[in-house]
Amino acid sequence: MTSDILRIDLHTHSTHSDGVLDPVELVVRAVGRGVGLLALTDHDTTAGCGAAAAACASHGIRFVPGVELSASWRGQAIHVIGLGGADCAALEAHNAELRARRRQRIEEIGARLERRARLPGIRLAQAVMETAAVPTRQHLARAIVAGGFAPDISRAFERFLARGRDGHVPVEWPSLEATLMTLKRSRRTIVLAHPHRYKLSGGALRALVSEFAQLGGDALEVSLPGMSPDAVDRIGRLARASRLAGSAGSDFHDPAVPWNPLGRSLKLAPEIEPLAARFLPAASALTVPAA
Ligand code: AMP
Ligand code: MN
Ligand code: MN
Ligand code: MN
């Protein structure tokens, strides 16, 4: 009954942050993949949402404006997605602060790479700063690959940017509490992004999820491409234990990366409330295949 399954994608990026498609290209690709409900969740900006909303309207699919914010929790960077709602001064100020910290970090990384890794780090960082509105390590990794200093993005991270490498610069992002407060003020539905990816012990992850729920979080991302069945199961149990809904998205950045295509069908255990249903009219049936 595949035709009854509504394809959704509640986590995607465009050129307004570190994606490679602009919002219109992203929507066209999503439509081509049969996506009927799409959120654009760029890092630290909602600048692409107007264009994406218009493109979705013209293709007759549903759009949810979104944003993915970096936060710090026990010294670890955590990503929190805000869906729906509206922009407000508090969110705009929060985003502007994150972007300022990002710019400072990219310059520091460039300087460190220049000093320690024998890369033209300052030049690479400058090139990123000139072209990216929200400069991320992903941009720097692409510049490192384009310069011939690493064969691909993941090795650019492994060799130069990951924790313990020459270009690693820790950042203090706003706290989880401040981040959720900002998202509440813009009346957004709040999702903890890719919880399986954080390098946390089982106990620390449980503590994070429970604090997230207490602070008013709504959902966990329980279904992403590349998640092992074991992780789907583990994160699903955490969602149920904290009475959180389940969100699903690809974290799509680049069509050249084959393992996270846009528009995965929902894969949720039957006891988990599908967050996507909150963005659909009550009448539409969301067919959810068992995980
Ligand atoms: P930043 O937010 O500047 O720390 O950059 C992180 C971004 O880089 C993430 O949003 C991902 O898009 C990407 N990223 C992080 N780690 C890796 C990795 N190991 N391999 C490939 N991409 C990564
Ligand atoms: Mn990214
Ligand atoms: Mn993320
Ligand atoms: Mn993302």
Side-chain angles (χ1 to χ4, degrees), residues 24-94:
V24 174
E25 293 166 334
L26 178 78
V27 169
V28 168
R29 192 174 177 91
V31 169
R33 301 244 335 141
V35 172
L37 175 68
L38 177 73
L40 176 62
T41 55
D42 273 316
H43 299 281
D44 314 335
T45 182
T46 56
C49 288
C56 283
S58 78
H59 285 92
I61 71 166
R62 285 186 177 273
F63 178 69
V64 179
V67 67
E68 181 174 15
L69 302 179
S70 301
S72 282
W73 184 80
R74 296 190 183 173
Q76 154 104 33
I78 298 295
H79 286 177
V80 181
I81 289 176
L83 296 173
D87 288 355
C88 68
L91 179 63
E92 275 159 24
H94 193 107

Side-chain angles (χ1 to χ4, degrees), residues 4-290:
D4 288 346
I5 298 172
L6 176 67
R7 281 192 169 209
I8 66 146
D9 201 320
L10 296 178
H11 186 164
T12 69
H13 295 272
S14 79
T15 44
H16 286 273
S17 65
D18 57 351
V20 306
L21 301 184
D22 70 30
V24 174
E25 293 166 334
L26 178 78
V27 169
V28 168
R29 192 174 177 91
V31 169
R33 301 244 335 141
V35 172
L37 175 68
L38 177 73
L40 176 62
T41 55
D42 273 316
H43 299 281
D44 314 335
T45 182
T46 56
C49 288
C56 283
S58 78
H59 285 92
I61 71 166
R62 285 186 177 273
F63 178 69
V64 179
V67 67
E68 181 174 15
L69 302 179
S70 301
S72 282
W73 184 80
R74 296 190 183 173
Q76 154 104 33
I78 298 295
H79 286 177
V80 181
I81 289 176
L83 296 173
D87 288 355
C88 68
L91 179 63
E92 275 159 24
H94 193 107
N95 278 337
E97 172 62 27
L98 289 173
R99 295 195 295 265
R101 289 188 202 187
R102 282 185 176 283
R103 284 192 289 274
Q104 194 183 353
R105 175 175 65 153
I106 292 295
E107 287 192 334
E108 282 174 27
I109 296 175
R112 285 178 67 113
L113 290 175
E114 185 95 25
R115 260 196 332 266
R116 302 181 175 209
R118 298 217 235 134
L119 286 189
I122 293 174
R123 180 168 63 72
L124 295 174
Q126 254 163 12
V128 168
M129 299 283 282
E130 278 161 21
T131 52
V134 181
T136 70
R137 291 185 303 158
Q138 173 91 255
H139 292 98
L140 204 48
R142 285 189 200 128
I144 289 169
V145 172
F149 305 108
D152 55 45
I153 302 276
S154 67
R155 267 170 291 184
F157 270 92
E158 269 166 38
R159 289 181 191 173
F160 299 111
L161 302 173
R163 210 185 300 190
R165 298 298 172 197
D166 288 335
H168 181 67
V169 173
V171 194
E172 186 66 30
W173 301 109
S175 69
L176 190 65
E177 188 176 4
T179 303
L180 265 70
M181 209 181 288
T182 297
L183 291 171
K184 290 225 161 274
R185 287 171 80 173
S186 68
R187 302 195 316 281
R188 289 182 182 248
T189 300
I190 303 171
V191 183
L192 184 64
H194 40 64
H196 63 295
R197 281 197 212 143
Y198 305 126
K199 292 191 173 61
L200 295 171
S201 68
L205 187 59
R206 276 196 299 281
L208 168 64
V209 170
S210 136
E211 199 174 319
F212 173 78
Q214 268 164 20
L215 290 169
D218 296 286
L220 300 186
E221 273 190 333
V222 294
S223 179
L224 282 93
M227 236 172 131
S228 68
D230 174 62
V232 170
D233 196 51
R234 207 157 29 87
I235 303 300
R237 270 188 272 121
L238 283 175
R240 286 197 295 280
S242 289
R243 297 178 188 283
L244 294 165
S247 187
S250 59
D251 200 5
F252 176 87
H253 286 74
D254 182 349
V257 175
W259 50 265
N260 73 337
L262 275 164
R264 297 269 299 209
S265 301
L266 269 176
K267 255 199 307 184
L268 298 183
E271 319 85 86
I272 298 178
E273 179 205 339
L275 186 75
R278 297 195 199 171
F279 298 103
L280 294 167
S284 45
L286 186 66
T287 311
V288 181

